[in-house]
Amino acid sequence: MDLGLRGKVALVAGSSKGLGRAIAEELAAEGCDLVLLARTERTIRDAAEAITRASGVRVLGLAADLAAPGEAGRVAAEGIRTFGRIDVLVTNAGGPPAGSFERLPIEAWHDAVRLLLDSVLELCRAVLPGMRERGWGRILNVTSISAKQPVDNLVLSNSIRAAVTGFARTLANEVAAHGITVNNLLPGYTRTERLDELAAARAQARGVAHEAVFADWEREIPMKRLGEPRELAALAAFLASERASYITGTSIPVDGGWIRALF
């Protein structure tokens, strides 16, 4: 299936590893040139070089801390200067610390808002004018199943990713007539370093082995296994494509059936 992405330019945040890296690789396989960003210069450079070798597309790797004001806009502007445009935006940031409401200080809330919400707003502001001018664009927000069904001990993620969902649903209506779609991807329990961190925190809190936490999660999932990053990446590539031109304002879980809601 030709997804119609060859020659498009995609900006993928948090793309040195995990879900962002898998999405970047999938888009590169479809012929997208890439702007990659992550916090560490070495890891994003290594990712850019590896993807270029594997796919032959042009890749610009940039180091940036999305939680720092202005950084998201800066890297988007650099990508536009290099390639002339951004056709596909994938927002993706590492999860905030685990914890309950009473255990997390107000500063943790401010940090999480800057990382998860403000960075999305900045990136969208940077790319929307060009998308509107060209009459074509795709915005994909990698959030979490916690935005739809709260996860215990993740009050920051539950709350702020829900805010991103509300923003995206509203933005989708505002830009739909300009050929721009806005959708959210909700990864479930997927084999990433972030999941290892959550497992360690839960294991420590419960006084159990690391492996016991993974076993509990697998029992909760109807498919009885964890997800793989490439499974989320496949959906991202489709939603970014010409084939998905009439899909907007959605929040789609990739969770093996973990969410129990009807809609």
Side-chain angles (χ1 to χ4, degrees):
M1 180 188 297
D2 182 2
L3 295 181
L5 286 170
R6 187 161 301 281
K8 300 289 189 186
V9 180
L11 187 159
V12 185
S15 45
S16 64
K17 59 187 178 182
L19 298 175
R21 173 70 175 267
I23 291 170
E25 291 173 345
E26 192 80 10
L27 292 173
E30 294 295 330
C32 279
D33 293 323
L34 298 173
V35 180
L36 306 183
L37 64 103
R39 281 178 294 183
T40 306
E41 177 73 39
R42 180 183 58 79
T43 58
I44 199 63
R45 184 181 65 245
D46 290 348
E49 291 174 354
I51 291 173
T52 297
R53 285 195 303 271
S55 63
V57 301
R58 297 177 295 167
V59 183
L60 173 66
L62 299 170
D65 180 359
L66 289 179
E71 279 291 273
R74 175 185 67 80
V75 297
E78 285 194 40
I80 292 169
R81 277 195 297 271
T82 299
F83 294 115
R85 67 190 194 279
I86 300 294
D87 301 299
V88 178
L89 169 65
V90 181
T91 74
N92 174 50
S100 64
F101 174 68
E102 291 182 311
R103 290 181 176 274
L104 290 166
I106 192 64
E107 291 79 16
W109 285 86
H110 295 161
D111 291 344
V113 167
R114 283 193 292 270
L115 177 65
L116 298 181
L117 179 59
D118 291 353
S119 64
V120 173
L121 304 182
E122 280 192 36
L123 287 168
C124 288
R125 284 190 187 279
V127 304
L128 272 173
M131 290 181 176
R132 194 187 298 266
E133 181 181 337
R134 291 185 297 275
W136 199 97
R138 301 286 186 266
I139 295 174
L140 305 176
N141 304 302
V142 178
T143 62
S144 168
I145 49 173
S146 67
K148 191 171 183 67
Q149 182 173 310
V151 177
D152 291 347
N153 206 44
L154 291 183
V155 66
L156 295 176
S157 184
N158 295 342
S159 304
I160 300 166
R161 293 194 192 279
V164 173
T165 303
F167 161 71
R169 185 64 192 87
T170 306
L171 181 65
N173 288 350
E174 294 181 3
V175 300
H178 300 278
I180 303 167
T181 67
V182 185
N183 293 290
N184 304 309
L185 290 75
L186 281 57
Y189 292 105
T190 309
R191 293 186 186 278
T192 63
E193 291 184 11
R194 166 67 173 168
L195 196 66
D196 287 334
E197 293 170 2
L198 293 178
R202 182 170 292 196
Q204 183 176 19
R206 292 171 49 192
V208 300
H210 200 98
E211 294 75 13
V213 175
F214 282 101
D216 285 347
W217 285 334
E218 289 174 344
R219 279 192 291 271
E220 293 176 6
I221 300 167
M223 285 192 173
K224 303 303 178 188
R225 67 174 178 86
L226 301 178
E228 299 293 339
R230 59 180 173 75
E231 293 174 308
L232 182 87
L235 174 63
F238 176 72
L239 290 175
S241 75
E242 194 64 44
R243 297 293 185 107
S245 58
Y246 205 56
I247 301 173
T248 195
T250 64
S251 294
I252 304 177
V254 182
D255 65 350
W258 182 85
I259 291 176
R260 298 302 199 263
L262 294 179
F263 302 105

